Amino acid sequence: MKIREISSVDDFKSIRGTWNNLLAKSRDKNIFLTWEWLFVWWEYFSDNKKLKILMVEDKDDIIGIIPLLYSTYRTFLFSYAVIENIGLNLSDYGGIIYSDLDDDQIITMFSLIRHFLNYNKLIFRFDQVPSDSKFFNILHNQSFCQDSLFIGEKKTGFSPYLPIQSSLDDHLKMLSNKFRKNLRKGEKNIEKKVGSIEFKKFTTVDSLEKNLNDFWEMHQKKMNYQEVPCFSESQKGFLTEVAETFAQNGWLNLSFLDINGQHASGVLGFEYYGKYYYYQTAFNPSYSYSVGNIHILYILKDLINRGQKEFDFLRGDEAYKLRWQPLLRSNNRIVMMTKGRISGLQFKMLNCMFLYDEIKKHSLLENYRLYDYKIKQIKESEKIKFKNKI
């Protein structure tokens, strides 16, 4: 078994088929590890960073792919070279790709990764690793690293998700009486006082451009209403190209809740191997009656009818998500480095650097608005968590 590095974009392009075939066999597969998502991300956000994809090979077979890039984090006093996930910030889940291996092969593969890291004096950063992934549990148990490797863990948030039930009534039964009544009342009030409700879903490239433009226009209204920073043109361009590519692969689920023929709510979602990913939302502030939650109701109905397995709300345990009584999986940051006397301190410093790198992307006013919005969301979520315990 050996590790081969890929550092050129042409080589990255050439392994598309191999990549997705291996991912399809992986227990930890998700939409954010697809070649399409990560390659388009690289095209938009690589800047001057260096590609460093690691291919794990056993004889003539590729059994593992670790999608990484080379970054440098600096403060006034310190500088760290870090090998980290491709797709950071816009990817809700990270990790590595590997086929279904037996225990001996897994131990050998991770020991090889450890030797590669130590020999090259590198720091690995894996962000948004889901707690129910096999990759996370291997690193969490640290059975392969012996005494030569430091592995630091930090929870970065939670992703609520709903296993799809056999009927919509089964989902509704799990909700609080108040929330269930408000959903039905809101739907009836819209039909009585405003007009007819129609659920529209777009999964192909036909008329996608117009519908995406409608989505982004409504998303802008939502962000202005919430007084938080909007997506940059690069972020919108990235997600637009991803949507087009995903539509060609059958992975796109762009839906709208229309009232009297006008968009009231929109969701840019994805589907991959039976899972629905609720990625980005939009709504028209002119409409009330909880149109966003009513939209979720229609999405669930569609997923049930098509036999899908899971509705993933993705990162963030906002109050509106918790009202659906979801399960929670934690998102985690894993940092791996050669063990030394100050490894624990370095881990804390790196986390501060990662946070600072996020903060400096926005102006002082934008950061204040983001902070204020998050505090309000946390307070509302805590109230719901407390009620659920009772």
Side-chain angles (χ1 to χ4, degrees):
M1 200 177 287
K2 65 178 181 179
I3 286 180
R4 174 168 62 91
E5 293 183 46
I6 283 182
S7 56
S8 78
V9 177
D10 286 341
D11 286 340
F12 192 0
K13 284 182 183 177
S14 72
I15 60 173
R16 178 177 184 172
T18 300
W19 186 300
N20 282 338
N21 287 339
L22 185 66
L23 182 60
K25 301 173 188 174
S26 175
R27 176 189 176 276
D28 296 340
K29 56 179 165 282
N30 68 71
I31 196 76
F32 304 107
L33 288 177
T34 59
W35 180 93
E36 287 79 358
W37 177 270
L38 295 176
F39 187 80
V40 177
W41 185 95
W42 179 262
E43 288 184 310
Y44 275 85
F45 304 110
S46 59
D47 299 325
N48 296 317
K49 294 177 180 176
K50 297 177 182 177
L51 197 62
K52 203 173 186 70
I53 299 171
L54 304 183
M55 311 289 285
V56 183
E57 301 176 341
D58 190 7
K59 297 178 182 177
D60 295 328
D61 296 326
I62 295 172
I63 62 169
I65 300 175
I66 310 175
L68 301 169
L69 57 82
Y70 186 98
S71 296
T72 303
Y73 289 89
R74 294 185 176 89
T75 64
F76 296 112
L77 299 174
F78 300 99
S79 176
Y80 288 103
V82 179
I83 311 299
E84 59 191 10
N85 309 60
I86 301 174
L88 272 176
N89 305 324
L90 290 174
S91 298
D92 283 61
Y93 296 127
I96 70 172
I97 303 161
Y98 58 95
S99 57
D100 222 358
L101 307 174
D102 60 41
D103 290 344
D104 288 340
Q105 286 177 304
I106 287 174
I107 290 170
T108 302
M109 182 177 76
F110 277 89
S111 294
L112 192 64
I113 293 169
R114 170 172 58 86
H115 285 303
F116 180 88
L117 187 152
N118 284 334
Y119 179 78
N120 291 283
K121 300 290 189 291
L122 295 173
I123 295 172
F124 278 15
R125 172 195 181 185
F126 297 99
D127 251 31
Q128 311 307 341
V129 180
S131 57
D132 58 358
S133 67
K134 190 171 183 179
F135 175 56
F136 173 76
N137 286 298
I138 289 170
L139 296 182
H140 181 72
N141 294 329
Q142 304 184 23
S143 56
F144 69 96
C145 69
Q146 299 172 359
D147 298 323
S148 62
L149 204 62
F150 172 86
I151 299 180
E153 278 181 36
K154 179 179 174 62
K155 276 191 176 61
T156 54
F158 290 91
S159 292
Y161 67 99
L162 292 169
I164 301 295
Q165 305 298 314
S166 57
S167 72
L168 191 60
D169 281 342
D170 289 336
H171 278 285
L172 292 173
K173 286 175 187 175
M174 296 188 294
L175 308 180
S176 70
N177 289 334
K178 183 179 178 180
F179 183 49
R180 183 167 60 246
K181 288 176 182 177
N182 284 343
L183 276 175
R184 291 308 193 192
K185 184 179 177 182
E187 194 173 6
K188 288 177 181 177
N189 280 338
I190 289 172
E191 291 174 333
K192 183 179 178 180
K193 300 177 181 180
V194 187
S196 60
I197 297 174
E198 186 179 5
F199 174 71
K200 292 182 178 179
K201 185 177 69 172
F202 301 92
T203 61
T204 64
V205 292
D206 300 334
S207 69
L208 184 58
E209 183 178 356
K210 178 189 180 305
N211 288 304
L212 278 172
N213 287 337
D214 288 349
F215 176 83
W216 289 123
E217 184 180 335
M218 188 162 47
H219 182 268
Q220 182 87 29
K221 292 178 181 178
K222 167 197 165 183
M223 303 302 266
N224 290 342
Y225 176 77
Q226 294 176 336
E227 296 187 325
V228 292
C230 300
F231 275 152
S232 67
E233 289 304 311
S234 294
Q235 289 170 323
K236 284 197 287 188
F238 162 70
L239 288 171
T240 298
E241 188 171 336
V242 160
E244 293 167 353
T245 305
F246 280 11
Q248 294 167 8
N249 290 2
W251 300 341
L252 178 69
N253 186 328
L254 173 65
S255 65
F256 294 95
L257 191 76
D258 284 7
I259 301 175
N260 280 346
Q262 300 295 314
H263 295 326
S265 171
V267 178
L268 177 60
F270 312 128
E271 291 188 22
Y272 189 69
Y273 281 89
K275 291 187 178 183
Y276 170 82
Y277 298 87
Y278 184 79
Y279 186 75
Q280 191 55 240
T281 63
F283 61 79
N284 187 334
S286 301
Y287 294 92
S288 54
Y289 304 110
S290 300
V291 291
N293 278 316
I294 294 169
H295 192 166
I296 291 171
L297 202 63
Y298 279 80
I299 292 172
L300 277 171
K301 192 185 299 183
D302 175 61
L303 297 176
I304 291 165
N305 291 338
R306 294 187 292 111
Q308 299 295 82
K309 300 173 185 174
E310 183 177 295
F311 181 117
D312 194 334
F313 281 106
L314 299 177
R315 277 187 294 170
D317 53 350
E318 293 96 333
Y320 79 91
K321 297 178 183 179
L322 298 181
R323 289 193 177 97
W324 289 91
Q325 300 295 325
L327 301 176
L328 295 177
R329 60 168 63 95
S330 66
N331 291 61
N332 302 274
R333 174 177 298 144
I334 303 288
V335 174
M336 304 165 61
M337 67 181 85
T338 302
K339 186 174 284 188
R341 293 180 180 178
I342 60 168
S343 298
L345 177 61
Q346 286 179 314
F347 176 63
K348 291 179 180 177
M349 290 173 61
L350 282 165
N351 280 306
C352 291
M353 287 179 166
F354 300 150
L355 177 61
Y356 174 69
D357 192 60
E358 280 300 299
I359 290 172
K360 71 181 183 182
K361 291 176 182 176
H362 299 289
S363 68
L364 190 62
L365 178 59
E366 287 175 332
N367 277 306
Y368 170 75
R369 286 176 173 171
L370 278 170
Y371 174 77
D372 186 56
Y373 177 74
K374 287 177 182 177
I375 291 298
K376 289 176 182 175
Q377 290 295 316
I378 289 169
K379 287 179 179 178
E380 194 175 353
S381 297
E382 288 302 320
K383 288 179 184 178
I384 293 174
K385 288 176 184 177
F386 178 74
K387 288 178 182 178
N388 288 347
K389 286 180 181 178
I390 295 173

